Amino acid sequence: SINSLSTVVAAALSHIPSKKILSAYPYIKKPLNVSNLTLYKIKNLSPEEKASIKTLNLSKMNIPNFDFSEFTGLESLNLSAAKELTANSFNSIPMQAKASIKNLNLSGIDITGFDFSDFTSLESLNLSESKGLTADLFNSIPMQAKTSIKNLDLSCIYIDFKDFDKF
């Protein structure tokens, strides 16, 4: 049953302190917040566990060649100041997840070569202090997403915005 599953999961993860949030198991009535998971533990979650994660915070982590392909249920993704994040890794985020991500934080990273074309549900986009932002890259964000964005942070970006599409 769901209640016994949540008890088992909570007991198994009770030793993990709660500072950073990684929300998993959305099928439990109250989502279980798991924190301070190491990259090793995140990578070794089962495909079902990865698919159930709604919020993934990899801020300031060293994530070379991170495989996002099984994180299909994401709604919030924080990659701020992530180290060694490549365009190939970012672009491996499944289309299903790209379409459901509402909050995306890419502050302080190099976004050269990132593909934003399938992010259609964005409500919050943080590109502050990002490197590699061009008009072409920004204009690749779907108009559907641009019209739904409520919070856009482009602070500390030193480029000429004249060629950027309007919202």
Side-chain angles (χ1 to χ4, degrees), residues 9-10 13-14 16-26 28 30-37 54-55:
V9 171
L13 299 172
S14 63
I16 301 172
S18 58
K19 289 183 183 171
K20 291 183 181 177
I21 296 176
L22 173 68
S23 300
Y25 309 101
I28 298 173
K30 196 171 188 179
L32 178 63
N33 289 328
V34 185
S35 61
N36 286 344
L37 285 182
K54 300 291 181 199
T55 300

Side-chain angles (χ1 to χ4, degrees), residues 46-82:
S46 73
E48 294 78 20
E49 291 168 323
K50 289 178 182 177
S52 71
I53 293 173
K54 300 291 181 199
T55 300
L56 183 59
N57 184 349
L58 299 174
S59 177
K60 300 179 183 174
M61 286 189 166
N62 189 11
I63 54 172
N65 304 313
F66 190 84
D67 181 10
F68 289 96
S69 65
E70 294 177 330
F71 293 89
T72 56
L74 292 175
E75 293 179 2
S76 181
L77 179 59
N78 184 351
L79 299 171
S80 64

Side-chain angles (χ1 to χ4, degrees), residues 12-165:
L13 299 172
S14 63
H15 67 283
I16 301 172
S18 58
K19 289 183 183 171
K20 291 183 181 177
I21 296 176
L22 173 68
S23 300
Y25 309 101
Y27 47 83
I28 298 173
K29 287 182 182 177
K30 196 171 188 179
L32 178 63
N33 289 328
V34 185
S35 61
N36 286 344
L37 285 182
T38 64
L39 193 55
Y40 175 81
K41 287 182 182 179
I42 292 170
K43 286 182 175 181
N44 287 298
L45 292 171
S46 73
E48 294 78 20
E49 291 168 323
K50 289 178 182 177
S52 71
I53 293 173
K54 300 291 181 199
T55 300
L56 183 59
N57 184 349
L58 299 174
S59 177
K60 300 179 183 174
M61 286 189 166
N62 189 11
I63 54 172
N65 304 313
F66 190 84
D67 181 10
F68 289 96
S69 65
E70 294 177 330
F71 293 89
T72 56
L74 292 175
E75 293 179 2
S76 181
L77 179 59
N78 184 351
L79 299 171
S80 64
K83 297 169 186 72
E84 297 188 47
L85 175 65
T86 66
N88 284 342
S89 289
F90 180 80
N91 295 338
S92 76
I93 298 170
M95 188 180 310
Q96 177 183 352
K98 288 180 180 180
S100 65
I101 290 176
K102 295 176 182 168
N103 302 301
L104 182 59
N105 187 340
L106 300 173
S107 65
I109 62 172
D110 186 350
I111 59 173
T112 303
F114 283 22
D115 180 6
F116 293 100
S117 62
D118 294 318
F119 287 89
T120 55
S121 298
L122 290 174
E123 294 177 4
S124 177
L125 177 60
N126 186 341
L127 297 174
S128 65
E129 300 182 38
S130 293
K131 296 167 186 63
L133 181 63
T134 64
D136 286 340
L137 186 61
F138 184 79
N139 294 340
S140 74
I141 299 170
M143 188 53 70
Q144 177 182 348
K146 289 180 183 174
T147 57
S148 66
I149 292 175
K150 296 175 179 80
N151 297 309
L152 176 63
D153 189 345
L154 296 173
S155 59
C156 299
I157 303 249
Y158 303 103
I159 56 176
D160 186 353
F161 287 97
K162 69 178 176 148
D163 294 324
F164 283 58
D165 288 347

